[in-house]
Amino acid sequence: MERFVINGPCSLNGEVNISGAKNAAVAVLPAALVVNGISKIENVPDIKDVRVLLDILGKLGAKITKEDDNTVICDTREVDCWKAPYELVKSMRASYYLLGALIARFGRAEVSLPGGCDFGFRPIDQHIKGFEAMGAVVEIEHGIVKINASEIRGAQIYLDVVSVGATINLMLAAVKAKGQTIIENSAKEPHVVDVANFLNAMGANIRGAGTDVIKIKGVDHLNGGGTHSIIPDMIEAGTFMIAAAATGGDVVVKNIIPKHMESLTAKLIEMGVNVIEDEDFIRVIGKNEVKNVNIMTLPYPGFPTDLQPQITVLLNMAEGVSTITEGVWDSRFQYADELKRMGAKIKVEGRIAVIDGANILSGAPVKATDLRAGAAMVMAGLVAKGRTEVSNIKYIDRGYENFVNKLNMLGADISRVLKDD
Ligand code: EPU
């Protein structure tokens, strides 16, 4: 099994280029299936989840070519299959986007229930409710979601919870529906807007993405022919911003949209970190001492749940007691036990973690319990004294492009090693 070995502590200094957003790419690529034509997609991150999706699209009949590491040309004219292969789909949470895309294209879809990161029960009832409102019949048999619709009709759908996945999936399904679909209480994340921009560039008619009411007027065809560039990854950017602060470094985080980072920027400033914003970069200058704060994760524009494990590492360094309340997932603190083994003082009760700060971490063997928790373990390794070995790094490979190289370029001492368990 591969692991990351980190020798700490270090201070990160220099510039880092942020890749295209994982959570936008894993939705835009399935969205290309709705198009009957050629789409050019730029700034696609070269990460495991994307490679798996490109394989799935190929198996469904799409012709995929790469102009370079991050530019994908997707010709979907000969796609003729609505069943996604289990072996590939099972490793990916975002495979549920194939449902919306395939029913838009064929009126039917068969996709196994999603896998991916494990932090508690991850239902898709809101996706299913929306598909049914559009006239589809949905059955779940032996872990496979089977959907059939003789006609997809526009519908008015109110989401009971703000769900990124349901918003995007229903947008996909509605693009070629008969009539207008209105999604109320929709998610406002930048990647929702990115998928709408992609679909509109290919011929769809979607308005309101980025607000809590999205209106989609069904069109007959999506002929493609357009080019779309994936937005920068706000979670990767946030990970590097927090790492700069935690290591007392000075890092310019480049190729980003600073507006997407506002909730994190505000918290870092509240903690006493020096944050300088410009048009497409943010410079973070860490301090020796940071102040304790309370944080609650919320859907965008709130503080992102996907930065919750990483900011915990920084809160561990603050003087005094901080709290984090997880407002999106039922259970996302599995990593706390790993951090405690490095010397952190964290008490978790339900959705709240209480962090008693000002601790010096010491290197230890730890495991990534999911993708973002894995990034947090790496960050803990960067600030800890001595050697940290992070196992289970398959999670980290799912979502961070060139993580090791980017960190080493900033002055970290991290390597990927192959080791028997
Ligand atoms: N929910 C339901 N029913 C549904 C769908 C969601 O109850 O049908 C609940 C969930 O249980 C959760 C909340 O609604 O409590 C929000 O879930 P959402 O659907 O927004 O999450 P998701 O679309 O499955 C995406 C990201 C996650 C990120 C969340 C929240 C992708 C591929 N994944 O998941 O990212 O945590 O939104 O922002 O876009 C990650 O990148 O590491 C990651 C886990």
Side-chain angles (χ1 to χ4, degrees), residues 9-68:
C10 75
S11 163
L12 298 185
N13 290 283
E15 297 183 346
V16 61
N17 274 317
I18 296 306
S19 302
K22 164 182 117 37
N23 288 346
V26 298
V28 166
L29 290 169
L33 289 171
V34 188
V35 178
N36 195 337
I38 299 173
S39 338
K40 180 169 172 178
I41 309 165
E42 298 171 338
N43 205 30
V44 179
D46 187 13
I47 51 175
K48 182 82 193 310
D49 272 8
V50 162
R51 281 179 230 130
V52 171
L53 254 178
L54 290 175
D55 262 12
I56 295 174
L57 297 193
K59 294 257 163 27
L60 294 173
K63 227 183 267 158
I64 306 287
T65 40
K66 280 188 117 182
E67 253 183 31
D68 55 52

Side-chain angles (χ1 to χ4, degrees), residues 22-24 26-27 49 92-97 117 119 121-128 159-168 187 189 191 235 298-300 304-306 326-330 332 351 370-373 398-399:
K22 164 182 117 37
N23 288 346
V26 298
D49 272 8
M92 270 196 72
R93 172 79 190 156
S95 55
Y96 51 46
Y97 291 135
C117 277
F119 36 81
F121 182 50
R122 298 184 69 171
I124 58 163
D125 57 300
Q126 298 301 306
H127 306 226
I128 291 173
L159 297 179
D160 299 334
V161 285
V162 180
S163 159
V164 175
T167 303
I168 293 178
E189 266 68 1
H191 32 292
I235 304 302
L298 287 169
Y300 188 85
T305 173
D306 293 343
E326 174 55 48
V328 177
W329 296 108
D330 280 340
R332 203 177 188 175
R351 285 181 162 218
D370 67 58
L371 165 59
R372 308 304 173 186
R398 287 187 38 217

Side-chain angles (χ1 to χ4, degrees), residues 175-374:
V175 159
K176 288 169 67 189
K178 201 161 189 242
Q180 176 168 262
T181 300
I182 300 177
I183 309 172
E184 290 181 277
N185 199 26
S186 51
K188 301 192 273 268
E189 266 68 1
H191 32 292
V192 174
V193 181
D194 204 39
V195 180
N197 287 343
F198 167 78
L199 288 166
N200 283 342
M202 302 298 151
N205 183 347
I206 303 173
R207 284 174 303 133
T211 74
D212 53 12
V213 181
I214 300 180
K215 294 184 178 166
I216 306 127
K217 279 197 182 131
V219 295
D220 289 338
H221 300 288
L222 254 62
N223 292 327
T227 299
H228 177 79
S229 185
I230 301 278
I231 50 164
D233 196 314
M234 58 184 271
I235 304 302
E236 187 199 9
T239 303
F240 279 99
M241 286 169 67
I242 299 169
T247 59
D250 180 349
V251 176
V252 179
V253 182
K254 289 170 62 179
N255 294 343
I256 61 170
I257 300 173
K259 178 144 189 51
H260 295 170
M261 310 309 305
E262 273 172 354
S263 61
L264 172 63
T265 301
K267 273 297 159 195
L268 290 178
I269 291 171
E270 199 182 324
M271 294 181 80
V273 177
N274 193 355
V275 184
I276 301 158
E277 237 183 69
D278 212 306
E279 213 169 291
D280 64 352
F281 70 82
I282 291 181
R283 179 175 171 195
V284 177
I285 306 164
K287 293 255 178 73
N288 283 340
E289 283 173 17
V290 282
K291 291 185 210 128
N292 58 326
V293 292
N294 298 324
I295 295 177
M296 178 162 188
T297 69
L298 287 169
Y300 188 85
F303 191 93
T305 173
D306 293 343
L307 288 176
Q308 183 255 92
Q310 300 91 313
I311 199 92
T312 299
V313 177
L314 183 59
L315 293 179
N316 170 70
M317 304 172 78
E319 282 294 337
V321 175
S322 302
T323 62
I324 294 198
T325 306
E326 174 55 48
V328 177
W329 296 108
D330 280 340
S331 138
R332 203 177 188 175
F333 289 115
Q334 286 90 335
Y335 66 88
D337 284 340
E338 299 299 306
L339 275 186
K340 283 201 256 183
R341 297 174 55 240
M342 297 177 76
K345 292 195 191 112
I346 307 174
K347 211 169 134 205
V348 177
E349 267 179 38
R351 285 181 162 218
I352 301 176
V354 179
I355 301 128
D356 194 355
N359 299 304
I360 294 174
L361 300 183
S362 54
V366 288
K367 66 170 189 280
T369 53
D370 67 58
L371 165 59
R372 308 304 173 186

